[in-house]
Amino acid sequence: MGEELMARLPERWRALLTGHLDPAVMGALAEFVLGEYATRVVYPPLAELFAAFRLCPPEATRVLILGQDPYHRAGQAHGLSFSVPPGVPVPPSLRNVYRELRDDLGVEPPAHGDLSGWARQGVLLLNAVLTVRAGSPASHAGHGWERFSDAVITALDGFDHRVVFVLWGSYARRKAVLVRHPRHVVLEAGHPSPMNPRGFLGSRPFSAVNAALVDADEPAVVWA
């Protein structure tokens, strides 16, 4: 069953991650996740589960922004951390991301919350846990997705070009130990949720990402 789930992952990512994944863990994860999709309302829709990987192939990945788990309300999650589809109201956490982007780089927030344009520039918008039961945050934690996202970070750490790892919140910041090569850069801050009163606003992550990329002769991300 693990193969059934992994078959949904784009081929180049699948080839990159295979050596970093425990087949037994992935088998148990697939059994749980596919069972949940068959019997519950789960987000994102199964067809969009690996959308971040389709938009951002491994060789193009220059930045990873790590979230915790998908939005758990109808219509919000579409496979990209912090992002929502066009036409869906911008959630509070993303409003704070946009506020920080304006304060950091002077970029006025768009009217939508779709971050696909970032993904197409090599920004992998990954959640540590890729699925969630409707109305029940963190309901799919502890079933193996954490091992999958660990494998993604470990694989990116092996790249010859610089990758900037953006870790927001205590859950994401635990992953910093997986980034070992000095060519890469780790940027940590508090979670952008409005329930976190400090630690994110004022962290200036967008200019820091671009400075790290330019320092490695990589083009800056156009965050607008």
Side-chain angles (χ1 to χ4, degrees):
M1 188 171 283
E3 292 82 1
E4 182 181 347
L5 185 65
M6 288 296 288
R8 297 178 174 274
L9 191 66
E11 183 178 355
R12 282 176 287 180
W13 278 108
R14 193 162 63 246
L16 177 68
L17 296 179
T18 297
H20 299 284
L21 293 169
D22 182 331
V25 171
M26 290 306 298
L29 171 65
E31 183 175 2
F32 169 75
V33 168
L34 295 177
E36 286 280 288
Y37 273 111
T39 59
R40 308 268 190 166
V41 177
V42 173
Y43 302 128
L46 186 56
E48 296 179 335
L49 175 59
F50 292 125
F53 298 91
R54 289 200 302 271
L55 290 172
C56 186
E59 66 276 6
T61 302
R62 303 179 294 133
V63 181
L64 180 145
I65 297 179
L66 187 66
Q68 184 166 337
D69 65 345
Y71 297 119
H72 58 88
R73 293 189 175 91
Q76 292 183 314
H78 67 142
L80 308 175
S81 62
F82 297 101
S83 180
V84 293
V88 174
V90 178
S93 291
L94 184 54
R95 284 202 298 270
N96 270 350
V97 171
Y98 282 168
R99 176 181 171 186
E100 182 63 16
L101 179 59
R102 181 191 60 209
D103 293 347
D104 187 4
L105 294 178
V107 173
E108 287 301 319
H112 62 82
D114 183 7
L115 304 181
S116 299
W118 295 2
R120 293 188 181 96
Q121 296 180 70
V123 180
L124 183 64
L125 295 164
L126 178 68
N127 281 309
V129 175
L130 274 68
T131 54
V132 69
R133 193 179 297 166
S136 185
S139 51
H140 284 189
H143 289 277
W145 276 130
E146 295 89 347
R147 298 281 291 277
F148 177 84
S149 53
D150 284 356
V152 174
I153 294 170
T154 300
L156 294 177
D157 185 54
F159 280 11
D160 291 332
H161 65 266
R162 171 167 288 175
V163 178
V164 184
F165 296 85
V166 182
L167 309 178
W168 290 336
S170 59
Y171 197 88
R173 294 170 83 167
R174 296 189 197 113
K175 307 279 193 183
V177 297
L178 300 172
V179 183
R180 297 186 173 94
H181 201 287
R183 75 168 62 89
H184 305 305
V185 173
V186 176
L187 301 175
E188 300 183 44
H191 195 278
S193 167
M195 292 186 291
N196 177 28
R198 58 184 178 182
F200 175 75
L201 295 176
S203 61
R204 303 296 188 262
F206 304 100
S207 58
V209 166
N210 282 351
L213 291 173
V214 170
D215 181 62
D217 296 320
E218 294 277 344
V221 175
V222 179
W223 298 105

